[in-house]
């Protein structure tokens, strides 16, 4: 190969890696599997090794390792953040205990047994009781300064106070940041509703959220902190044991694991380990084992460290919850935005108490990586105790007489038969049928009629399916033609005159909307509710948005390069334009949004808290957004004003502390009314 071809290839790889870094770290929405990302890396590395004189100055290869990302400031840990050794079974646990007993001959030994959180380790510094810095573990020696993000974690004390104990001058607390399971499921449901990528497990979700450069985004994520140790304390706390230090930390308001134990013997440790492994699905957070520590702090000191691990502690990992089963079929599912996702249909199998019969294989790249084929034996585990995944394919169990055909990406959509496309550099294949595809259509219609979109109450899934069946709903535009098909609709099971009239009335009412809701209803990839409103505010009219080029789209807050391209492509597709024209012709209309020059709250950040009695929170949010404000979930020094309803709690306190403007609901209603009167 000639030199210029090599350099072109390297440049392409560098660009792809940069693009995926952005998607992963900044947008928090990885577009490819980790394994595919590694593959890109690998390719570039290979080229660089083969052609060292072509290495590009901005190559990411030399910058990688456990190092901190360049976007956050790097900090050196005063006390290094070390790792733990592992034991995996009873024999290894006893060996761990024997090594300790030999070093502490003739001493009584107690063990402190804690949950091993599966999140991200961080260090927190408090000076005279005030949280002054938060740092990630990084490579253990240096980490990233993420104080702003850490301060958005709700259950973490920002200021220490206690009735019973003195606040130290300096306190460095170590612990783990996690996303509790309930919050993880909620976040994923929201991501899905926005048409955005869901997180594979709580750990990834927590990692992505902590690394958010925008603390407002981090604040909107349900993170929690659990303390498990003290790295420094001046003056010394004078405590004698690990379990006392945990209690002492709770005295300052730190959360610790929902369970911890002190055991007098290693046999008791083993017993606890077995019990907690059973209870694991019922815990509120993800754990991957237990941590066993010598309880006495003096004894810990005496034992010390062996290279980078303490001799006084170990992780006792749980076996992965996995089970063997066979792949009966691989189906391809079509999502709202046309993504075609392979799903393996399994012979049902119990995994950690739950029956699993379907498992997503994510994309064709993952199928090739695993080399999974119909008929294969696979081990399935529940990642994060929640989502089942294929761990590995047991190719050695393939029967010689059986044929295992490699899985191919279908060339045509299994639902509408349109060609399947897979743009270069993307991991996901898509049906190119757009709204012609009934699978995409049903999802698109569901989204279009949803409350925050066109809000057509009564057009539930059942009706939608029946209408599709009668060929009355080819696209969302047909919704507004339904009144011409009364007779046919009355044929639908359980559709009486009254329910039909209610439905048609709801459809009629939905014609009056807002530009933001309409844009959201279109279901453009990457455009959630708040992005839709931003677009409405910035572009002011549908025509201006339709005509916008990528640069103009990118200037909208919240819209990055990739989303800008998606929006651009949406408005370039002729079938989308045809549907838009029909919708407008049917009479969908809205009041023109206020011009940015007349949006009095442009650029301001507002927060709503407590219960509002006269209006819904959604309406209040919309009213603020229409005036140009951004509505955020947490109070910070940047907050312009807090609207405090009944039973306002910690946000109100915080706003008072920060001397931020506060409005009661009545004041807020008067405020909005005065602005709207002046339009
Ligand atoms: S104590 C000297 N306690 O496990 C290290 N670590 O493999 C003392 N971890 O990165 C660590 N739960 O983030 C400790 N209850 C717990 C823990 C815990 C999770 C993590 C920690 C560390 C990793 C070590």
């Amino acid at each position: 190969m000639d030199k210029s071809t090599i350099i072109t290839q390297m440049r392409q790889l560098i660009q792809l890696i940069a693009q995926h870094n952005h998607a992963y770290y900044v947008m928090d929405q990885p577009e490819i599997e980790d394994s595919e990302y590694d593959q890109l890396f690998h390719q570039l590395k290979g080229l660089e090794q083969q052609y060292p004189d072509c290495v590009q100055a901005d190559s990411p290869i030399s910058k990688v390792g456990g190092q901190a990302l360049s976007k956050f400031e790097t900090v050196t840990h005063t006390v290094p953040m070390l790792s733990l050794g592992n034991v995996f079974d009873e024999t290894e646990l006893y060996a761990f205990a024997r090594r300790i007993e030999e070093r502490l001959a003739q001493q009584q030994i107690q063990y402190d047994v804690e949950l091993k959180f599966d999140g991200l380790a961080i260090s927190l510094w408090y000076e005279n009781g005030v949280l002054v810095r938060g740092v990630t573990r990084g490579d253990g020696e240096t980490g990233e300064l993420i104080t702003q993000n850490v301060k958005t974690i709700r259950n973490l004390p920002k200021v220490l106070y206690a009735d019973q104990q003195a606040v130290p001058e300096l306190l460095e607390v170590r612990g783990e940041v996690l996303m509790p399971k309930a919050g993880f499921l909620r976040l994923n449901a929201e991501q899905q509703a926005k048409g955005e990528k869901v997180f594979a497990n709580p750990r990834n979700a927590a990692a992505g959220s902590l690394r958010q450069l925008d603390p407002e985004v981090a604040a909107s994520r349900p993170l929690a902190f659990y303390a498990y140790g003290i790295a420094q304390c001046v003056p010394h706390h004078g405590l004698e044991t690990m379990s006392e230090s945990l209690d002492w930390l709770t005295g300052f308001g730190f959360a610790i694991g929902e369970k911890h134990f002190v055991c007098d013997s290693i046999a008791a440790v083993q017993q606890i380990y077995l019990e907690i492994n059973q209870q694991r699905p019922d815990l509120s957070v993800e754990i991957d084992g237990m941590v066993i520590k010598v309880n006495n702090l003096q004894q810990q000191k005496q034992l010390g460290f062996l290279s980078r691990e303490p001799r006084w502690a170990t992780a006792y990992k749980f076996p992965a919850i996995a089970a063997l089963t066979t792949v009966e079929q691989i189906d391809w599912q079509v999502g709202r935005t046309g993504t075609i996702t392979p799903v393996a249909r399994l012979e049902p199998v119990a995994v950690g108490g739950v029956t699993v019969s379907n498992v997503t294989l994510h994309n064709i790249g993952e199928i090739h990586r695993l080399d999974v084929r119909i008929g294969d034996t696979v081990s399935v585990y529940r990642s994060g105790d929640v989502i089942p995944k294929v761990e590995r394919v047991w190719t050695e169990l393939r029967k010689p007489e059986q044929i295992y055909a490699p899985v191919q990406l279908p060339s045509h959509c299994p639902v509408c038969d349109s060609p399947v496309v897979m743009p270069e550099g993307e991991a996901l294949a898509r049906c190119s049928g757009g709204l012609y595809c009934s699978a995409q259509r049903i999802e698109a219609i569901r989204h279009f009629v949803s409350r925050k979109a066109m809000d057509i109450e009564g057009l539930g899934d059942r009706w939608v399916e029946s209408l599709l069946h009668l060929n009355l709903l080819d696209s969302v535009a047909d919704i507004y033609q339904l009144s011409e098909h009364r007779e046919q609709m009355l044929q639908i099971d359980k559709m009486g005159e009254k329910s039909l009239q209610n439905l048609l009335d709801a459809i009629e009412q939905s014609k009056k909307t807002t530009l933001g809701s309409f844009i959201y209803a279109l279901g453009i990839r990457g455009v959630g509710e708040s992005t839709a409103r931003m677009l409405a505010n910035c572009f002011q009219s549908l025509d201006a948005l339709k005509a916008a080029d990528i640069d103009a789209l990118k200037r909208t807050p919240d819209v990055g390069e990739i989303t800008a391209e998606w929006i651009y492509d949406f408005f370039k597709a002729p079938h989308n334009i045809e549907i838009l024209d029909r919708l407008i012709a049917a009479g969908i209309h809205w009041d023109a949004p206020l011009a940015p020059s007349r949006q009095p709250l442009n650029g301001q950040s507002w927060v709503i808290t407590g219960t509002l009695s006269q209006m819904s929170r959604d309406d209040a949010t919309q009213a603020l957004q229409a005036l140009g404000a951004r509505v955020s979930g947490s109070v910070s020094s940047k907050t312009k004003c807090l609207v405090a309803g009944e039973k306002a709690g910690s946000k109100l306190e915080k706003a008072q502390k920060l001397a931020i403007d506060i409005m009661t609901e009545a004041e807020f209603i008067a405020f909005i009314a005065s602005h709207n009167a002046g339009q």
Side-chain angles (χ1 to χ4, degrees), residues 460-671:
D461 282 1
R462 261 200 30 217
W463 293 149
V464 171
E465 268 166 40
S466 310
L467 292 166
L468 275 172
H469 226 74
L470 288 172
N471 283 331
L472 291 179
L473 269 190
D474 259 350
S475 78
V476 294
D478 292 332
I479 294 174
Y480 295 94
Q481 245 97 59
L482 286 176
S483 57
E484 297 162 16
H485 304 283
R486 276 173 165 273
E487 290 311 311
Q488 249 179 305
M489 287 172 74
L490 286 169
Q491 316 277 303
I492 300 173
D493 188 30
K494 300 217 174 67
M495 175 76 89
E497 277 289 349
K498 191 154 177 348
S499 39
L500 177 59
Q501 196 51 51
N502 286 346
L503 176 57
L504 294 177
D505 288 348
I507 292 174
E508 194 56 34
Q509 271 167 26
S510 74
K511 288 183 180 171
K512 167 96 173 72
T513 180
T514 64
L515 178 55
S517 304
F518 183 69
I519 295 171
Y520 174 62
L522 297 175
I524 305 167
R525 211 176 150 200
V527 178
E529 205 197 329
S530 83
T531 307
R533 286 219 186 92
M534 295 275 189
L535 288 167
N537 276 345
C538 290
F539 288 95
Q540 299 281 305
S541 75
L542 186 62
D543 287 337
L545 179 62
K546 268 157 77 178
D549 61 18
I550 293 189
D551 281 337
L553 290 164
K554 267 185 356 200
R555 282 194 293 273
T556 313
D558 283 2
V559 175
E561 172 96 40
I562 297 165
T563 310
E565 276 178 31
W566 288 335
I567 301 172
Y568 181 83
D569 290 346
F570 181 91
F571 288 111
K572 285 292 154 288
H575 57 263
N576 289 336
I577 295 298
E578 187 200 314
I579 288 170
L580 277 180
D581 290 347
R582 282 181 58 203
L583 288 169
I584 302 300
I588 290 184
H589 63 286
W590 49 81
D591 292 333
L594 280 186
S597 56
R598 296 186 50 214
Q599 286 167 5
L601 312 186
N602 209 345
Q604 296 180 5
S605 171
W606 284 55
V607 177
I608 305 172
T609 190
T611 320
L612 303 180
S613 55
Q614 319 253 356
M615 67 197 310
S616 72
R617 210 180 252 238
D618 279 343
D619 289 345
T621 305
Q622 281 197 28
L624 283 169
Q625 285 172 334
L627 296 173
R630 221 184 129 117
V631 179
S632 149
S634 70
V635 174
S636 76
S637 58
K638 296 209 190 82
T639 307
K640 174 71 186 163
C641 182
L642 175 81
V643 180
E646 285 294 306
K647 300 211 189 85
S650 60
K651 287 184 195 163
L652 177 58
E653 270 172 40
K654 184 161 179 193
Q656 282 164 341
K657 226 181 255 167
L658 295 171
I660 283 162
D661 288 347
I662 295 165
M663 276 189 196
T664 62
E665 182 177 358
E667 284 165 345
F668 175 68
I669 289 173
F671 174 83

Side-chain angles (χ1 to χ4, degrees), residues 319-396:
I321 308 177
L324 289 189
T325 185
T326 44
V327 176
E328 293 181 333
Q329 191 53 258
I330 293 177
D331 288 339
W332 296 83
Q333 279 182 350
V334 189
R336 168 160 71 85
T337 51
T339 47
I340 301 213
T341 314
V343 179
R345 310 288 178 203
L346 307 171
E347 183 177 334
V349 63
V351 187
V354 174
T355 304
V356 175
S357 42
N358 299 307
V359 54
T360 174
L361 296 170
H362 300 292
N363 54 50
I364 188 77
E366 177 74 354
I367 291 189
H368 290 154
R369 189 183 72 78
L370 291 164
D371 188 24
V372 55
R373 305 179 188 189
I374 295 169
D376 266 334
T377 304
V378 291
S379 44
V380 177
Y381 70 104
R382 285 201 295 139
S383 119
D385 282 356
V386 194
I387 301 164
K389 275 192 135 188
V390 171
E391 178 181 47
R392 130 165 170 60
V393 178
W394 296 80
T395 43
E396 51 275 62

Side-chain angles (χ1 to χ4, degrees), residues 80-86 112-122 137 174-177 226-229 242 246 257 288-293 305 308-310 312-313 315 317:
M81 292 184 79
L82 304 177
S83 47
L84 286 174
N86 285 315
D112 162 79
V113 181
E114 298 172 25
L115 305 180
K116 183 171 188 311
F117 306 108
D118 193 11
L120 295 113
I122 60 165
R137 178 177 186 275
R174 299 269 169 93
E176 200 95 344
V177 175
Y226 296 90
Y228 57 62
M242 194 61 230
L246 293 177
D288 57 351
M290 304 298 285
V291 179
I292 322 297
K293 304 176 183 175
F305 295 82
R308 317 217 10 96
E309 292 167 6
W312 46 265
K317 292 284 191 74

